[in-house]
Amino acid sequence: MARIHGIETEYGLTGTSDGRRLPIDEAANRLFAPVAREFATTNLFHRAGGRLYLDIGSHPEYATPECATARDLVTAQKAGDVLLLDLAARARDLEAEEGRDTTFRLFRNNVDPHGNTWGSHENHLVARSLDPHLLEQWLVPFLVSRLLIGGAGHWRRGSFALSQRGDVLADVVSNQTTRSRPLINTRDEPHADPERYRRLHVISGDTNSLEHPMWLVVVTTELVLRAAEAGGTPPVGPADPLAALRTWNRDPDAGVPATDGGWVTARGLQRTYLGLVEAFAADDDETGPGWFAWRAALDALDAGRPSGLEWDAKLRTIQAWRDRHGLPDDDPRLDALDLRWHELGTEQGRPVGLAPLWEASHGVRHTTDEAVAAATTLAPGRTRARVRGELLAAAQDRGRDHVVDWSGFEVRDLPGGSVRLELADPFADAVPAASDLAERMRAEPRLRLLGGFRPPTDAPHVQLS
C-alpha cells in the first residue's frame, strides 16, 4: 500500500545566560519565549506542515509533516533543524532586548552524560487490516538488528556503542513511551480514518545527523513493512530481543540464542532481511536504490571499509583524532568530540557540528540546501500536510481565531460562525473545501477580535477611578 511517514525529533538543549549555566527548564522556556509571545502557546503547528513544541522534559521537539517519500522526510527533518536554529536566534535577540547575554546550543542526539535520554519517534502508516501480531514478528528482529545501519554511535569514557538508545529500552511492545521505553508503542492514534488505518509508532531508533542513514532507515523499514503486508513467514529472531539489543550494541557479530534453538547475530539477521525483502524493492526512485544501498553498506562493513553509516563515520573520526593526538580512550576530550558530532548551527560560516563537516567531504546527500529552505515554509506535496499548510498560512496571515490538529482544522471567527474541516485522508493533498475556506479567511472580515473580553450588554456600568 502507499504509505505516509513522519518523525518526531526531540533535541538536546543547553543554555547559558551572562555566564551562568541555565537549568534545562529555564533554558527551554527562554528558547520558546518568542513563540509564546506571538502565539500564547509553546505548541505550534507550522505552515510548513509540521508541529514545533516544547515537550515533556523540557525538550524542544519538531514533528515533521506527513511525507510520502523518504527523501521528503529527510528534507523535512533538516527543515526542522533550521526552524529550531531560527527560534534560537530570535530567542537570543529577545534576551538581548531584556539586557541578557544568552546563548543556546541544540543537538541532534539522544543521551546526556547523566544518563537522561530523549527520543526519535518514527511514524509509519499501515492498514488497519494488517495483523498486529504478524507485524510484530516481522518488525522486532529487524528493529533490534537495525542499529547496525541506523545507530548514531556513542563514545563514552572509552567505551563505544552503535546506538545511543540501545541501552535504555526496557520493553518490546507497550502503550507507554517514557516509563517502559519499548521498541514499538501501541497507543492507537492513527490521526486518520481509524476504520482504514493504524499508525505504527516506532520509538527505538536513534536521531541521525547524516542524511544517508536518515534516508536508509526509512527505506529499509518500508521494505520490511511491505514484506509483512505480503503475509510471508518472518525470519528467526533472538529469543530475548532486549538482551540481544544490548549485546549487539557493543558487538553486532556476537551470537545470541534464537527462537528456533540456534544462534543469530545482528549482521547475519540484517543479511537475512536483505534477502527476504529483495522481491519488494520496486522499480522506483527509492526502494530499488535503497535495497542496493542497504547491501552496499553491509558489504562495506564486512570488508572493513567506510560504510557511510553514522556510527561508523563517528567512530572513525574519533579514533583518528585520538591517534593523531596520542590520547587514551578514556580522555574526556573524546567524549566532547562525540557530543560535538551532533551539534547544530554555524560559526563564521562553517558548521559547528562534526557531522555536517564530515558529510560535506565524505557523505551522500538526499536533499539540497534549496529544498530544505523551501521546506521551512511550504509543506511537502502528495499528503494532507500541504492542505494544512495552506489553511495555516491563511489563518496566521489574517490573525484568525483557529484550532488545528493532525486531522482537522477549525476557524472560529467567520461571519457565519465556526467552520471545521475534517482532514481524515492523509493522502489528500488537494481539498477543494480547504481552498474555499482559505479564501474565506483571506477575504471575509473577522467576527470578533482575538483575545478580547466583551461584557454582556445588560451588565451594570462600573466607573473605574
Side-chain angles (χ1 to χ4, degrees):
M1 60 169 278
R3 196 160 343 266
I4 298 291
H5 307 278
I7 288 184
E8 306 155 44
T9 300
E10 300 175 6
Y11 291 79
L13 169 69
T14 64
T16 304
S17 185
D18 295 331
R20 176 176 68 93
R21 177 73 174 266
L22 297 174
I24 184 59
D25 56 345
E26 185 177 350
N29 287 331
R30 292 196 192 191
L31 176 67
F32 273 80
V35 172
R37 176 173 292 193
E38 184 175 359
F39 298 101
T41 183
T42 57
N43 184 345
L44 179 70
F45 274 89
H46 197 276
R47 65 178 64 194
R51 178 175 164 229
L52 177 67
Y53 53 105
L54 183 56
D55 196 25
I56 296 172
S58 298
H59 285 287
E61 182 160 349
Y62 183 69
T64 68
E66 303 91 330
C67 295
T69 68
R71 182 170 289 106
D72 282 349
L73 188 53
V74 171
T75 304
Q77 288 185 76
K78 303 286 279 190
D81 295 348
V82 174
L83 292 174
L84 260 296
L85 289 169
D86 178 68
L87 178 60
R90 291 166 55 201
R92 180 169 185 174
D93 289 345
L94 184 58
E95 289 283 300
E97 291 175 11
E98 298 177 354
R100 294 185 294 269
D101 181 15
T102 302
T103 59
F104 303 94
R105 297 175 68 190
L106 290 159
F107 304 88
R108 287 186 62 91
N109 69 335
N110 302 109
V111 291
D112 70 11
H114 309 291
N116 299 307
T117 182
W118 47 96
S120 172
H121 296 185
E122 303 162 45
N123 300 287
H124 307 280
L125 194 72
V126 296
R128 176 67 63 174
S129 58
L130 180 59
D131 180 1
H133 182 62
L134 178 64
L135 184 61
E136 179 183 336
Q137 289 179 314
W138 271 96
L139 277 176
V140 169
F142 173 68
L143 292 175
V144 296
S145 62
R146 195 183 66 174
L147 51 72
L148 189 63
I149 61 170
H154 187 218
W155 184 288
R156 175 67 174 159
R157 296 177 180 172
S159 175
F160 187 78
L162 274 65
S163 167
Q164 297 200 345
R165 295 278 284 174
D167 290 341
V168 299
L169 300 170
D171 211 340
V172 176
V173 175
S174 169
N175 64 355
Q176 299 295 317
T177 59
T178 55
R179 282 180 294 180
S180 66
R181 298 196 189 109
L183 299 171
I184 302 171
N185 173 250
T186 58
R187 191 168 54 206
D188 194 3
E189 295 177 343
H191 298 314
D193 183 351
E195 298 294 325
R196 299 179 60 192
Y197 300 117
R198 186 189 305 274
R199 179 170 61 110
L200 173 65
H201 197 44
V202 175
I203 66 174
S204 52
D206 283 6
T207 300
N208 289 119
S209 297
L210 301 178
E211 290 186 10
H212 188 58
M214 286 186 203
W215 177 82
L216 194 57
V217 161
V218 179
V219 177
T220 55
T221 304
E222 167 64 27
L223 287 168
V224 173
L225 289 175
R226 291 184 183 185
E229 289 166 343
T233 302
V236 173
D240 186 337
L242 295 177
L245 183 67
R246 284 154 176 58
T247 297
W248 292 340
N249 204 19
R250 298 302 189 281
D251 182 2
D253 294 315
V256 301
T259 54
D260 66 352
W263 297 84
V264 64
T265 68
R267 195 190 302 260
L269 196 49
Q270 282 289 298
R271 283 286 184 186
T272 298
Y273 273 100
L274 182 73
L276 289 173
V277 305
E278 182 178 5
F280 303 97
D283 185 18
D284 57 32
D285 292 339
E286 293 206 321
T287 57
W291 186 87
F292 284 104
W294 188 1
R295 186 179 69 177
L298 295 178
D299 288 346
L301 291 176
D302 289 349
R305 302 191 308 268
S307 63
L309 301 174
E310 185 149 343
W311 68 265
D312 188 31
K314 179 197 274 189
L315 179 60
R316 290 172 183 273
T317 299
I318 294 176
Q319 288 175 331
W321 202 86
R322 175 203 62 189
D323 295 344
R324 185 181 309 123
H325 296 279
L327 301 177
D329 284 349
D330 60 354
D331 192 294
R333 285 172 288 185
L334 301 180
D335 293 3
L337 279 181
D338 180 282
L339 181 61
R340 181 80 177 273
W341 178 272
H342 303 273
E343 188 165 2
L344 299 178
T346 59
E347 191 173 90
Q348 297 180 344
R350 286 174 56 82
V352 174
L354 296 180
L357 286 172
W358 185 93
E359 188 168 65
S361 57
H362 304 290
V364 175
R365 294 200 63 184
H366 292 272
T367 186
T368 64
D369 292 342
E370 294 76 16
V372 170
T376 63
T377 58
L378 182 65
R382 298 171 59 184
T383 76
R384 68 179 172 205
R386 181 63 61 87
V387 177
R388 185 187 308 112
E390 178 187 10
L391 291 167
L392 273 170
Q396 291 173 354
D397 289 346
R398 295 290 293 167
R400 290 288 184 179
D401 185 0
H402 67 282
V403 177
V404 60
D405 56 41
W406 290 109
S407 57
F409 183 92
E410 182 179 355
V411 58
R412 295 173 169 176
D413 60 358
L414 290 171
S418 295
V419 176
R420 176 163 178 92
L421 187 64
E422 299 296 335
L423 303 173
D425 183 357
F427 297 98
D429 63 350
V431 178
S435 298
D436 293 344
L437 183 57
E439 183 56 35
R440 288 188 63 189
M441 285 190 285
R442 286 188 287 263
E444 296 182 15
R446 291 185 297 173
L447 179 64
R448 59 181 175 80
L449 294 176
L450 291 178
F453 171 72
R454 185 173 300 170
T457 56
D458 58 350
H461 178 70
V462 177
Q463 180 68 40
L464 299 178
S465 57

